[in-house]
Amino acid sequence: ERAPKEKPTQPALRQARQGPTDEAQMAAAAALARLEQKQPRARGPTSQESIRNQVRKELRAEATVGGSTEAPGSNTVPEAKEEGSAHLAVPGVCFTCPLTGATLRKDQRDAHIKEAILSHFSTDPVAASIMKIHTFNKDRDRVKLGVDTIAKYLDNICLHPEEEKYRKIKLQNRVFQERINCLEGTHEFFEAIGFQKALLPVPDQEGPEEFYVLSEGVLAQPQSLQRHKEQLLVAEPVRATLARQRRLFRPSPMASQFELPGDFFNLTAEEIKREQRLRSEAVERLSVLRTKAMREREEQRELRKYTYTLLRVRLPDGCLLQGTFYARERVAALYAFVREALQNDWLPFDLLASGGQRLSEDESLAFNECGLVPSALLTFSWDAAVLEDIKAAGANPDSSILKPELLAAIEKLS
């Protein structure tokens, strides 16, 4: 009798099913992003199953294409690069001190400004003390309360110069202690405008107390007190301004490639990696229909992700003008930046984003509201009437339009 054939033995453990690779997940995310763009706005929501079917088709198409796994125009977070790399589009974010004109790294600016303000005491103690009050104290509400109280003291002196009580300020007074003594720079201000400390007797009290007393010489010139009061009221904190780090590059096929340092991002290196992981899960997440509120929340998160943006403008001759901006600056700042570089800065021009969108349609928009963060390449375009005039004059519209000193410092984009 024949023995029954033995069935092939099954392996004790099946090999764990492998998930899609990072490349496949990123390709799927790009496919879904394109799918969303293709959906007509007026059409009602389609079913989740139809979306998944379309995604599968997109993925099959992606699988047949070699090369880069990132679709053009996809919203993948670029990897932050270490400063000092030879391939960085800009070494880092830099600032300019308004007092000294020095160019500073982000980690240098606060200490440098404090040092510059302190050194200013030797030349203009009144201005230096005002800068110290507004800059060294970070609580703006407390600063305003203190400044308003000081202004009230000075107003009383100017309005009642004959009354001695207004020329004396008791240092242990509760209002003085709570509103003024707690602020850095206030004592220097009082001394700079002519107050002197003195121990004076207090009625119904055994020992003397410390007062600020206005000198007689200053009292004879009340207009100086009024001037110092106005200076104090209108002053603002001394802040380093963002350095544009303007650079000009020769025409290059690498114009749209940006390697950015880490300080262009609000995210730490760990957060950027986490963001990449979240995006790699987009296949499952984006296949679920999102409400308008969900989309708006995601858009707001995108807007807050970057602090700075690096922008390049391709000029008619192919050269690239580059500058650094705050992500929340207005588009008008870019127009002003380009205009400063032109030989004829009065001629009208336009700047075009990808797809030919004219930025001049609303110059009050911020760069992060236009999607021009953390970097973007734009195209310079002459106003149509200006272009006709240039051609009619027999000039070459593609010739250089920049100031000679900028052309002398042109670089190769590496």
Side-chain angles (χ1 to χ4, degrees):
E1 192 176 11
R2 291 184 180 180
K5 292 183 179 179
E6 294 184 359
K7 293 183 180 181
T9 58
Q10 298 291 331
L13 294 175
R14 293 178 180 239
Q15 185 177 1
R17 187 177 180 182
Q18 297 293 324
T21 64
D22 290 345
E23 291 79 9
Q25 293 181 18
M26 292 176 67
L32 280 164
R34 287 198 301 275
L35 175 60
E36 285 188 331
Q37 293 175 357
K38 291 177 183 178
Q39 295 292 337
R41 294 181 180 273
R43 185 187 300 175
T46 58
S47 68
Q48 295 184 27
E49 186 59 33
S50 64
I51 293 178
R52 293 192 182 95
N53 290 336
Q54 181 63 30
V55 169
R56 293 189 189 100
K57 293 178 183 178
E58 293 274 358
L59 287 174
R60 283 195 293 270
E62 288 285 341
T64 63
V65 179
S68 172
T69 59
E70 181 179 331
S74 64
N75 200 20
T76 305
V77 178
E79 183 180 353
K81 302 295 181 181
E82 292 295 328
E83 292 190 23
S85 170
H87 299 293
L88 288 177
V90 65
V93 176
C94 292
F95 299 84
T96 303
C97 174
L99 300 178
T100 65
T103 300
L104 312 165
R105 297 193 312 269
K106 188 190 297 187
D107 60 346
Q108 297 174 322
R109 56 182 177 177
D110 290 343
H112 180 92
I113 287 176
K114 284 188 176 183
E115 183 180 345
I117 290 175
L118 294 176
S119 66
H120 203 63
F121 273 97
S122 61
T123 56
D124 191 343
V126 175
S129 61
I130 291 173
M131 288 189 285
K132 186 174 182 179
I133 291 171
H134 284 277
T135 308
F136 285 30
N137 302 288
K138 302 304 181 183
D139 189 331
R140 300 306 302 158
D141 292 334
R142 177 168 285 189
V143 169
K144 184 179 187 310
L145 182 61
V147 164
D148 289 344
T149 304
I150 295 173
K152 185 64 175 176
Y153 283 139
L154 301 183
D155 278 338
N156 286 336
I157 294 172
C158 294
L159 293 173
H160 310 282
E162 71 288 349
E163 296 193 34
E164 185 180 355
K165 66 177 182 179
Y166 291 121
R167 302 200 298 268
K168 298 185 296 184
I169 303 173
K170 185 178 178 181
L171 270 63
Q172 294 303 316
N173 176 277
R174 183 178 60 83
V175 172
F176 186 91
Q177 287 292 317
E178 292 179 356
R179 300 185 183 183
I180 297 175
N181 188 63
C182 59
L183 298 176
E184 291 190 62
T186 51
H187 288 280
E188 290 95 329
F189 176 76
F190 278 110
E191 293 170 6
I193 65 175
F195 282 88
Q196 298 172 346
K197 286 183 178 179
L199 287 173
L200 300 177
V202 179
D204 303 324
Q205 186 172 311
E206 290 185 4
E209 286 206 29
E210 196 170 27
F211 285 78
Y212 270 130
V213 181
L214 187 64
S215 65
E216 293 292 337
V218 175
L219 188 61
Q221 298 178 331
Q223 67 275 11
S224 66
L225 289 182
Q226 191 68 25
R227 185 174 67 254
H228 297 326
K229 184 199 78 171
E230 294 298 331
Q231 286 180 268
L232 180 65
L233 287 173
V234 302
E236 294 288 340
V238 178
R239 297 283 185 259
T241 57
L242 180 65
R244 296 296 186 206
Q245 301 187 80
R246 182 174 60 191
R247 299 173 72 181
L248 181 65
F249 298 106
R250 294 186 178 89
S252 170
M254 301 169 61
S256 61
Q257 298 180 23
F258 296 83
E259 298 286 351
L260 299 177
D263 50 9
F264 265 71
F265 303 85
N266 269 340
L267 307 179
T268 64
E270 291 74 18
E271 289 171 329
I272 291 173
K273 292 178 181 178
R274 177 177 176 273
E275 183 74 17
Q276 293 283 19
R277 287 200 305 271
L278 291 176
R279 289 187 178 279
S280 70
E281 299 167 1
V283 175
E284 183 175 348
R285 178 170 59 85
L286 291 178
S287 65
V288 179
L289 290 176
R290 295 173 297 161
T291 65
K292 181 180 178 182
M294 292 169 64
R295 290 194 300 271
E296 288 177 349
R297 283 196 297 271
E298 288 185 5
E299 290 171 0
Q300 289 301 314
R301 284 196 295 270
E302 291 293 323
L303 292 182
R304 293 190 297 269
K305 193 172 295 178
Y306 308 108
T307 304
Y308 310 98
T309 183
L310 188 68
L311 301 177
R312 288 179 187 153
V313 177
R314 181 185 279 119
L315 301 166
D317 61 355
C319 291
L320 304 164
L321 183 65
Q322 175 178 290
T324 304
F325 299 82
Y326 284 109
R328 295 186 181 183
E329 276 190 87
R330 305 301 171 186
V331 167
L334 178 59
Y335 276 85
F337 172 75
V338 174
R339 192 170 287 109
E340 290 172 359
L342 301 179
Q343 293 187 54
N344 300 312
D345 57 5
W346 52 272
L347 290 174
F349 64 90
D350 217 326
L351 298 175
L352 310 180
S354 59
Q357 175 190 357
R358 295 181 180 274
L359 297 187
S360 61
E361 292 177 0
D362 193 349
E363 292 187 32
S364 65
L365 285 176
F367 294 122
N368 56 6
E369 294 174 328
C370 302
L372 302 179
V373 290
S375 58
L377 174 65
L378 303 108
T379 302
F380 182 99
S381 174
W382 282 120
D383 178 84
V386 172
L387 187 59
E388 289 299 321
D389 290 342
I390 293 174
K391 292 179 179 178
N396 181 6
D398 295 332
S399 61
S400 179
I401 59 177
L402 299 179
K403 294 176 179 177
E405 57 267 29
L406 294 180
L407 293 171
I410 195 168
E411 308 172 55
K412 180 182 178 182
L413 182 62
S414 58

